[in-house]
Amino acid sequence: MLAYRGAERAAAEWDASIRHLNATMAGYEFVAVPYDLGGLRQAVAAGDVDFIITNPGHYVELEAAFHVARIATLETVGGPPPAAAIASAVVVLADSPLKDFSDLKGRRVAAVAAEAFGGFRLAWREMVAHDINPFQDLQELSFTGFPIERVTRAVADGSADAGIVRACLLEQMVAEGQARPGQFRVLGGRLSADLECEISTALYPDWPFARLPAIPAALAKRVGMALLAMPASSGQAWTVPVDYQEVHELFRALKIGPYDYLGRRSLAELARAYWPWLLAVVLVAAWWVAHVVRVEHLVRLRTDELRAAGERARRQREELEHGARLALLGEMVSSLAHEINQPLAAIHNYAGGCERRLAAGIDAEGVREGVRLIAGQAERAAGIVKRIRAFVRKRTPEQRPMPINDSVIETLNLFAAIAASRGVVVEPRLGESLPAVQADRIQIEQVILNLLQNAADAMAAVAVQRKLGIMTEMVGGMVQVAVSDTGIGLSEEARQHLFEPFFTTKPEGLGLGLSLSRSIIEAHGGRLWAEAAPGGGACFKFSLPALSEVLS
Ligand code: ADP
């Protein structure tokens, strides 16, 4: 049996019934074992008991979980009808400001236990009807445990504003002298004519007497009949089992016990209940995804644009450098024509000589010599053409380790014809065992040729001896090339604007040579600058980072 007022009281309470059963059922012995809610459930689960007496709520749960079956319902002699015998009272102090259920919001409420029937759940259903969720809307919900008097004690000492107890407990306590008359009041109380007590909730059926499924039907029938036959004089009576549907309704309303699955809401129900939040979350998530995708798209576009722009700029630079090389060469075309003419003229002479020898008779040795010379001159002409083609070819720059002197010598070869035609004396002083530089050969040659050309131009107008010095050496860890002339020198204006694009003082000048040269040298990690030459002319210098290796 469920001992809601302590083990001793339970034994006393059911003593009449137990004695009656023992008296009428020969061959059987009935022993009362008091349990609390959890203990009784365990005893039923383990089959430690054969019959149970418990409250209607607990019975409905055990019925669902363990198939216990009621065989009788308690009938209080001279009391309420068994189908409407149990209610709860919400107890407050007589002078409490609380008037009805809705006043419980934000208050401290004491109850027996979350699973207690009269001691909590009946009032819980009433609170739900008043739109109060006891687990959320109260300031405090405390469970005192059994015995149930702990609840009234909490109200009496002020640690709770209200207490939930089984109806009639208050009247019982007053009768037993455990409470002063007028000390407590029942919240929203109305006097039940059947109970002769004040109640705060609806009425539910009385306690059942039930059997475990293992009990044979015949025995259950005998026990049932014995209970029904219990004389009223014994102070306790049992009647045919009543309908516990109202208890099922309560459990369903609270979504607990056999109906707790109702409390576990499906996803669809959750979605229905929280759709504005869900919608907000989905919108925010969608916005975020869209934002990320957009940003990534923009970044990709921008990267592509930059890459395309970089590609375009590179191609333009190459075009420009190429054009500048063609322009440089343009000025040399006549000199180059002259240069190529020399081997051609020589070839012409040698061929004539060979012809004459052949006409004069067999001079095989002389003709062989002539042919050898012709081949040599042809090679020389081919060399000139090859050099020019290498210089003007359209190409993509490529940096490799190379000796700087190679570039200087190759450029001087290209420049030789023009120097000769201008009466310029070239004086090279090339450093020995210089470290190599990481450079694009044609670009460096273009820079040097540009400096040589400018030097020659600067000396065109002066009458003094036209001396062009070109020097390579190591200066401060860099390989340095210096081109000096004895020309007109640099004016203040020229000094300021030399390296700006389109600055030129020449009638046919483009003003691109020096600016291009500087960007080429800087792209190699070097520097290009101008100084005044000691002899009065200008001196242009550039330096490139030295590699550790020396290439010859
Ligand atoms: P361009 O040779 O087409 O004029 P550059 O950029 O090569 O273009 O040269 C720009 C200007 O710098 C020249 O027009 C000239 O005035 C000046 N300059 C360049 N080199 C020298 C030099 N060695 N001596 C004096 N002036 C120079």
Side-chain angles (χ1 to χ4, degrees), residues 161-175:
D161 298 317
I164 300 166
V165 295
R166 183 187 163 156
C168 300
L169 179 83
L170 204 53
E171 288 81 354
Q172 222 170 316
M173 286 172 70
V174 171

Side-chain angles (χ1 to χ4, degrees), residues 145-366:
F146 288 112
I148 201 163
E149 285 85 353
R150 288 192 191 171
V151 174
T152 47
R153 218 172 299 142
V155 177
D157 68 20
S159 56
D161 298 317
I164 300 166
V165 295
R166 183 187 163 156
C168 300
L169 179 83
L170 204 53
E171 288 81 354
Q172 222 170 316
M173 286 172 70
V174 171
E176 290 169 0
Q178 289 187 29
R180 279 180 287 109
Q183 184 185 2
F184 296 106
R185 176 159 66 77
V186 174
L187 192 73
R190 60 184 189 281
L191 191 67
S192 158
D194 291 329
L195 284 182
E196 294 174 28
C197 302
E198 277 208 284
I199 60 174
S200 307
T201 68
L203 285 155
Y204 294 84
D206 213 333
W207 288 38
F209 191 114
R211 65 168 168 100
L212 264 70
I215 299 302
L219 177 58
K221 187 176 169 187
R222 278 183 65 191
V223 170
M225 279 161 52
L227 289 173
L228 295 180
M230 201 167 147
S233 58
S234 62
Q236 199 160 51
W238 297 90
T239 182
V240 287
V242 299
D243 179 16
Y244 285 83
Q245 193 54 40
E246 193 52 37
V247 182
H248 280 278
E249 289 305 327
L250 173 128
F251 276 60
R252 211 195 312 270
L254 299 181
K255 298 179 174 120
I256 54 171
Y259 304 98
D260 79 338
Y261 67 91
L262 292 173
R264 294 194 291 269
R265 292 209 251 177
S266 70
L267 272 182
E269 280 173 320
L270 277 177
R272 222 170 295 132
Y274 294 105
W275 72 265
W277 288 103
L278 213 63
L279 186 70
V281 167
V282 166
L283 282 179
V284 167
W287 173 85
W288 191 75
V289 167
H291 178 72
V292 166
V293 166
R294 202 180 96 89
V295 164
E296 259 175 25
H297 177 68
L298 286 179
V299 165
R300 203 170 320 123
L301 268 187
R302 191 83 191 101
T303 314
D304 287 352
E305 263 172 31
L306 284 177
R307 202 176 296 138
E311 177 67 17
R312 215 160 37 237
R314 192 183 60 79
R315 231 177 302 126
Q316 273 170 359
R317 243 185 83 94
E318 282 175 24
E319 291 282 348
L320 194 61
E321 283 177 17
H322 181 234
R325 283 202 297 278
L326 283 178
L328 264 178
L329 203 67
E331 295 182 38
M332 294 193 284
V333 163
S334 53
S335 336
L336 287 169
H338 173 72
E339 204 181 355
I340 291 171
N341 216 24
Q342 284 178 339
L344 288 180
I347 287 168
H348 183 78
N349 285 342
Y350 295 142
C354 288
E355 216 173 4
R356 278 192 301 280
R357 287 213 168 92
L358 286 171
I362 305 304
D363 177 4
E365 197 43 47

Side-chain angles (χ1 to χ4, degrees), residues 81-202:
I86 292 184
S88 285
V90 178
V91 177
V92 296
L93 284 175
D95 56 359
S96 163
L98 306 185
K99 294 247 149 37
D100 60 27
F101 263 90
S102 31
D103 294 335
L104 288 175
K105 239 178 210 171
R107 299 297 180 150
R108 294 164 306 153
V109 175
V112 177
E115 321 83 50
F117 190 61
F120 178 58
R121 283 176 170 171
L122 300 197
W124 178 5
R125 189 183 190 183
E126 221 63 38
M127 283 193 242
V128 168
H130 286 82
D131 234 0
I132 298 172
N133 179 341
F135 299 99
Q136 284 175 8
D137 303 333
L138 301 179
Q139 186 196 330
E140 188 189 323
L141 175 63
S142 52
F143 294 113
T144 61
F146 288 112
I148 201 163
E149 285 85 353
R150 288 192 191 171
V151 174
T152 47
R153 218 172 299 142
V155 177
D157 68 20
S159 56
D161 298 317
I164 300 166
V165 295
R166 183 187 163 156
C168 300
L169 179 83
L170 204 53
E171 288 81 354
Q172 222 170 316
M173 286 172 70
V174 171
E176 290 169 0
Q178 289 187 29
R180 279 180 287 109
Q183 184 185 2
F184 296 106
R185 176 159 66 77
V186 174
L187 192 73
R190 60 184 189 281
L191 191 67
S192 158
D194 291 329
L195 284 182
E196 294 174 28
C197 302
E198 277 208 284
I199 60 174
S200 307
T201 68

Side-chain angles (χ1 to χ4, degrees), residues 1-8 10-11 14 31-44 46-54 58 146 207:
M1 62 222 11
L2 178 68
Y4 71 104
R5 288 185 76 186
E8 262 172 53
W14 306 110
V31 182
V33 190
Y35 288 102
D36 62 10
L37 286 164
L40 183 52
R41 187 185 174 92
Q42 266 174 19
V44 170
D48 290 344
V49 294
D50 299 312
F51 296 92
I52 59 168
I53 303 172
T54 188
H58 200 214
F146 288 112
W207 288 38

Side-chain angles (χ1 to χ4, degrees), residues 13-32:
E13 196 162 1
W14 306 110
D15 185 48
S17 297
I18 300 299
R19 266 192 296 121
H20 172 73
L21 285 174
N22 277 324
T24 51
M25 300 264 308
Y28 292 94
E29 193 193 357
F30 290 81
V31 182

